[in-house]
Amino acid sequence: MPARIRPAVRGLVRHPLLSLAAIFCLALGLGATTAIFTAVNAALLRPLPFPAADRLVSVFRTTPNFATGPFSAPNYLDLARETRTLETLAAATSGSGILQAEGRSMRASIVRASDDYLAMLRVRPALGRIFRPGQDGAAETPVLVLTEELWREQFGGDPSVLGRAVRLDGEIHEIIGVLPRDFRVPHGGAQIAGEVWVPLRISGWQATARRTNYLLLQGRLADGAAAGTADRELHGIMERIIEAYPELRGEQLRVVPLHRESKRGIEGPLTLLLGAVALVLLIAVANVASLLLARGAGRQAEWAIRTAIGASRRRILSGAIVESAILTTVGAAAGLALAWAGTRVIESRVAAVGLPQLAAMPIDLRVLGFGVALAVAVALLSGLAPAWQAQRSDPQDALRTEGRSGAGRQHNRFLRGLIVAEVALSLILLLGAGLLLRGFRGLVDQDPGFDASTLLTLSVHVPADRYPDGTAVDRFLEPALEAVEAVPGVSRAAAITLIPYTSWGWNFNIRYEGVPGEDPTRLPLVETRIVTPGFFDAMGMTLLAGRPLEPGDDERPEAPVVAVANRTLAERHFPGEDAVGRRFHLGDTTFATIVGVVSDIKNFGPDQPPRPEVYRTYDQGGRGATSFPLIVRVTGDPSAFAQAVGRAVFAVDPEAALSRVRPMEEVIAASMGRPRFYLALMGIFAGVAVALALAGLYGVMSYVVEQRRRELGIRAALGGSPGSNLALVIRGGAALIGAGILAGLGGGLLVTRLLEGMLYGVSPLDAAAWAAAPLLLAASGIGAVFFAARRAARVRPMVAMRE
């Protein structure tokens, strides 16, 4: 070990608690800051991974109810044909199907994109080629492109996969390429992503259905064009389309730069979290400064002795520099390890719960470098300041004043100011965490509208070519439900087009009988779900009025078309009236009659209010389906029935593919992923901040006791009790805590209002959170002060005699 490092290490080892505390503070501050800034950089600052991404735009259909709607196929084709400000206007839509390859059948998420979509993004494939604009969409042999993840998982990363034939939904496709890793495209606050990409094919009826909206549009600006110019041009084209097709009245569109859309919905919360972690870094740096300054003040006599026996100023200052360098090096290494672990957790867990922008995050070494530079500067200044002051003092004066009030009033005031600031910042974070916890508890405790404890959910997909002409409902779904219900321990089984608590749906503008329909977009918007008649019973929903759907509600001509509404629709559309018996238009001359009203389900997540919904049967509204999400009510742990239910489904169709097999409670928990993420991070920051503040408080109060040792000894010699010395120190610490809490409450009034959009129904001035946070911090702080002050009670009168 080099000669200069050995004495520095010995000096740090002589004070292990202080050295470890400084390293701990640096590691937490640097690790948390680096991890969160890496997330913010990935979601908000990192450029999109497409060449000339600043030229890319998203195009949204707007109505009085929607600002980010999709388009119908004929409207898209007209816009793409007439635009001049966009060199390409491309479309995509997401779905799922069955991929049969390598002797296996699997459910695959599919993106059907116009054959110029990938070229518009200027995607460079990892293998093979992408779609050829104007060719692959109309090719006789359909083609597809795999994602790199699916290519490696299902085909072992074999390059010879190019040209291989696979079946997708029963149709032969040729594999022509592999997309880059983590390929996804932001759109409307969500992302377009799939395991398989195929060229979009628009069928005959889709090419004329002006109000069947399912295509997501994106484009690339032509040279010299701006997003505002494209917006005005497409507005004009849309006006002409509406003039030709009056049923589109009320619709319009807007053009938005793609990079702006990639941040929608997350910019505010992530910026707040970045601010929170910046507070943690400030507290950590303040703690390191207070610890090193206190330690340096206690070494005045040591440096005085070294100076008296001939040590040079350079030698003493270089020793302080080496000690600070060792502390920051070890702290930075530990911080890098924490940052790596934090980014991996965010990348693997958070992307799956509603923040897909964080799916790929290399550690941002720039912010780590900034944090290390800040820590080095603070450590050097804090370590050098006392040593420099010792060099400017007379060694005899330092030796004479050892054990008295060595550091001086100004130094003590500075340390106390740091502690007050730490307590204030910690309280602000603690208030934020308390408010988020209150909001999250409200989400968890609310009634979902059904009993989820014994429900198993799964999605079943069958090959479309095995069930032509919409026969899958009769030949597969009904026998499959019977087979599942025959499994011992299963009480009921049902199907629904979308599993409850998924954050999307199918909707339409509902027109009730007798209501004019000149402007359909201004009619109420209603979500629709297709279910089997036993769905409400299997879910455990409450029938509030009328009757549920029944097996007789089928496709027979004599069977009237019926629907069941949820409570929100009944109360919002028919306040104070009976919704049962009301009819709404399904076409120009056909109607559906509301025959019942059931309890609400928060299908768009626990943080969103229920929306008006209607339920119809597969026989009357979903005959062409080949994908069936199932709800299975069991008597016990739902996970224990997964294999038996799967075997029952495969007994009906061995080529069926199962996916997303999980208990309903997991589905609900996953829908709370984003609020849980915010709560977890804010809670971690608050906990770290409080721990750092308590460590700083303990360190400074211990230092104060050491500096006042002579005074305390004199008090004891004059008859003061140990308890009086203890109370004296505790009063001083309590004053610091009180000042910090008052400052924190003032700052909290300003800062917590920024959390309003993340509190899910809780007021930023919630009394419980505002009462609990200061009490918790005060109690913890007094505990830290008490442990530091115990040394004051043990000071003996003989100390004063020696002094």
Side-chain angles (χ1 to χ4, degrees):
M1 184 181 296
R4 291 185 179 274
I5 296 180
R6 189 180 299 111
V9 172
R10 283 201 303 265
L12 295 174
V13 170
R14 280 199 302 269
H15 303 84
L17 291 179
L18 186 145
S19 301
L20 290 175
I23 291 171
F24 173 75
C25 293
L26 283 174
L28 281 180
L30 294 176
T33 304
T34 303
I36 297 305
F37 188 85
T38 296
V40 171
N41 178 54
L44 304 182
L45 307 178
R46 184 174 59 183
L48 295 172
F50 309 114
D54 59 318
R55 310 297 296 166
L56 297 174
V57 296
S58 288
V59 184
F60 297 107
R61 180 177 61 93
T62 63
T63 72
N65 298 305
F66 263 142
T68 57
F71 286 81
S72 66
N75 290 344
Y76 152 64
L77 294 173
D78 287 346
L79 291 169
R81 182 172 52 253
E82 296 187 34
T83 181
R84 296 294 177 267
T85 57
L86 298 178
E87 67 177 41
T88 305
L89 180 61
T93 184
S94 300
S96 61
I98 291 185
L99 179 67
Q100 295 170 296
E102 307 295 305
R104 297 186 300 272
S105 294
M106 60 166 288
R107 174 200 173 273
S109 55
I110 303 172
V111 176
R112 303 184 186 278
S114 57
D115 54 14
D116 55 358
Y117 185 90
L118 296 176
M120 178 265 297
L121 295 174
R122 299 180 183 173
V123 175
R124 296 186 180 92
L127 184 70
R129 67 174 180 87
I130 58 174
F131 307 141
R132 289 183 296 233
Q135 299 181 44
D136 286 327
E140 292 185 7
T141 302
V143 298
L144 62 79
V145 175
L146 304 172
T147 60
E148 183 184 8
E149 292 81 358
L150 184 66
W151 172 55
R152 294 191 181 279
E153 179 182 342
Q154 295 296 321
F155 299 93
D158 182 4
S160 66
V161 73
L162 298 180
R164 191 174 304 179
V166 297
R167 284 184 176 272
L168 184 65
D169 283 338
E171 187 177 13
I172 296 292
H173 285 66
E174 177 189 349
I175 300 174
I176 61 170
V178 176
L179 292 171
R181 186 170 185 80
D182 297 317
F183 181 75
R184 47 181 56 84
V185 187
H187 184 85
Q191 297 204 338
I192 301 172
E195 296 167 304
V196 176
W197 290 64
V198 299
L200 174 70
R201 291 184 172 182
I202 298 174
S203 64
W205 70 269
Q206 289 173 330
T208 59
R210 292 276 171 180
R211 301 203 67 237
T212 301
N213 299 293
Y214 64 100
L215 294 178
L216 309 178
L217 303 193
Q218 292 176 315
R220 180 174 290 276
L221 293 168
D223 291 340
T229 308
D231 185 81
R232 290 189 292 273
E233 183 208 37
L234 293 182
H235 260 81
I237 298 173
M238 194 67 190
E239 289 290 349
R240 293 195 292 274
I241 294 173
I242 294 171
E243 185 177 350
Y245 302 94
E247 67 269 22
L248 300 178
R249 277 194 295 266
E251 294 191 7
Q252 241 319 323
L253 54 75
R254 64 189 183 98
V255 179
V256 183
L258 188 61
H259 64 84
R260 186 193 305 172
E261 279 303 302
S262 66
K263 307 173 186 178
R264 197 165 67 87
I266 63 171
E267 188 169 13
L270 284 182
T271 302
L272 285 173
L273 291 176
L274 182 61
V277 80
L279 294 183
V280 172
L281 181 60
L282 287 176
I283 295 171
V285 168
N287 239 3
V288 172
S290 63
L291 289 170
L292 293 182
L293 285 171
R295 178 171 181 265
R299 299 179 66 188
Q300 295 290 322
E302 173 195 341
W303 286 324
I305 292 172
R306 292 189 178 191
T307 301
I309 63 176
S312 66
R313 172 179 296 185
R314 178 179 178 183
R315 187 174 184 85
I316 290 177
L317 293 180
S318 65
I321 291 174
V322 172
E323 288 185 13
S324 299
I326 293 174
L327 285 176
T328 51
T329 300
V330 177
L336 180 60
L338 286 176
W340 181 86
T343 53
R344 296 292 79 80
V345 170
I346 293 173
E347 189 177 62
S348 60
R349 299 290 181 86
V350 179
V353 295
L355 289 170
Q357 295 90 337
L358 307 182
M361 297 194 315
I363 290 179
D364 196 306
L365 297 179
R366 293 172 301 173
V367 71
L368 180 64
F370 169 78
V372 170
L374 178 61
V376 167
V378 170
L380 286 176
L381 290 175
S382 303
L384 281 176
W388 180 265
Q389 183 65 32
Q391 287 295 302
R392 296 169 60 87
S393 305
D394 187 340
Q396 295 185 33
D397 292 338
L399 289 171
R400 279 195 297 268
T401 58
E402 190 222 346
R404 302 188 182 182
S405 56
R409 292 182 179 179
Q410 185 175 359
H411 177 77
N412 287 338
R413 281 198 299 268
F414 180 71
L415 292 181
R416 287 178 168 85
L418 286 178
I419 292 301
V420 169
E422 288 184 32
V423 172
L425 295 177
S426 300
L427 180 58
I428 292 173
L429 291 179
L430 203 56
L431 282 169
L435 290 170
L436 288 176
L437 177 61
R438 292 274 293 164
F440 187 74
R441 281 294 304 272
L443 295 181
V444 172
D445 293 341
Q446 66 185 352
D447 181 11
F450 57 92
D451 177 14
S453 60
T454 57
L455 279 180
L456 177 70
T457 70
L458 63 153
S459 292
V460 183
H461 307 262
V462 293
D465 61 326
R466 290 171 56 84
Y467 302 95
D469 302 322
T471 57
V473 172
D474 296 329
R475 293 174 47 208
F476 171 76
L477 179 59
E478 293 177 1
L481 292 178
E482 292 176 3
V484 170
E485 289 184 341
V487 173
V490 173
S491 59
R492 293 301 303 267
I496 181 173
T497 45
L498 296 167
I499 294 291
Y501 275 75
T502 56
S503 59
W504 58 289
W506 300 336
N507 51 64
F508 66 102
N509 294 102
I510 193 168
R511 182 161 75 95
Y512 294 104
E513 187 176 20
V515 175
E518 290 82 4
D519 186 351
T521 61
R522 298 192 178 276
L523 296 172
L525 198 67
V526 171
E527 304 296 322
T528 182
R529 301 284 191 270
I530 308 299
V531 301
T532 53
F535 172 76
F536 306 119
D537 189 22
M539 285 291 291
M541 297 171 67
T542 303
L543 181 67
L544 303 176
R547 68 169 178 87
L549 298 174
E550 298 173 347
D553 299 325
D554 53 27
E555 74 280 12
R556 292 173 301 148
E558 63 271 22
V561 179
V562 298
V564 167
N566 69 343
R567 182 203 297 266
T568 295
L569 182 146
E571 292 179 349
R572 187 176 300 178
H573 296 177
F574 305 102
E577 303 178 32
D578 188 2
V580 175
R582 300 298 182 119
R583 301 203 307 171
F584 58 88
H585 289 262
L586 290 177
D588 293 337
T589 59
T590 57
F591 293 88
T593 303
I594 297 175
V595 295
V597 178
V598 295
S599 55
D600 286 329
I601 296 177
K602 291 192 171 184
N603 279 308
F604 284 77
D607 57 333
Q608 298 291 326
R611 302 184 187 183
E613 293 180 353
V614 295
Y615 298 89
R616 299 176 59 201
T617 65
Y618 276 94
D619 284 331
Q620 293 188 344
R623 296 291 300 176
T626 55
S627 176
F628 304 102
L630 302 187
I631 302 289
V632 183
R633 174 73 65 180
V634 301
T635 56
D637 178 13
S639 299
F641 289 81
Q643 292 186 355
V645 169
R647 287 194 295 269
V649 171
F650 291 135
V652 177
D653 188 340
E655 294 188 18
L658 271 60
S659 63
R660 299 175 184 173
V661 183
R662 52 184 176 167
M664 175 59 76
E665 289 184 335
E666 288 188 14
V667 176
I668 296 176
S671 70
M672 299 182 189
R674 186 175 291 197
R676 182 185 289 109
F677 168 64
Y678 296 145
L679 171 63
L681 282 187
M682 188 65 78
I684 291 171
F685 298 158
V688 169
V690 170
L692 292 174
L694 295 181
L697 186 60
Y698 175 84
V700 168
M701 294 313 297
S702 297
Y703 163 72
V704 168
V705 171
E706 181 65 25
Q707 294 300 105
R708 300 180 66 178
R709 187 160 49 94
R710 180 173 181 271
E711 173 197 343
L712 296 172
I714 293 174
R715 288 177 179 273
L718 294 176
S721 67
S724 64
N725 281 345
L726 179 67
L728 178 68
V729 178
I730 289 179
R731 281 197 301 272
L736 296 179
I737 296 170
I741 287 177
L742 287 176
L745 289 174
L749 287 173
L750 300 175
V751 174
T752 54
R753 292 188 178 276
L754 300 176
L755 294 172
E756 194 161 6
M758 302 162 59
L759 297 183
Y760 308 108
V762 174
S763 168
L765 299 178
D766 180 74
W770 280 83
L775 289 175
L776 176 62
L777 189 57
S780 304
I782 293 298
V785 171
F786 173 77
F787 283 107
R790 285 187 306 171
R791 296 175 60 188
R794 294 196 293 266
V795 174
R796 297 179 181 179
M798 188 60 71
V799 173
M801 302 301 294
R802 292 197 190 101
E803 296 292 348

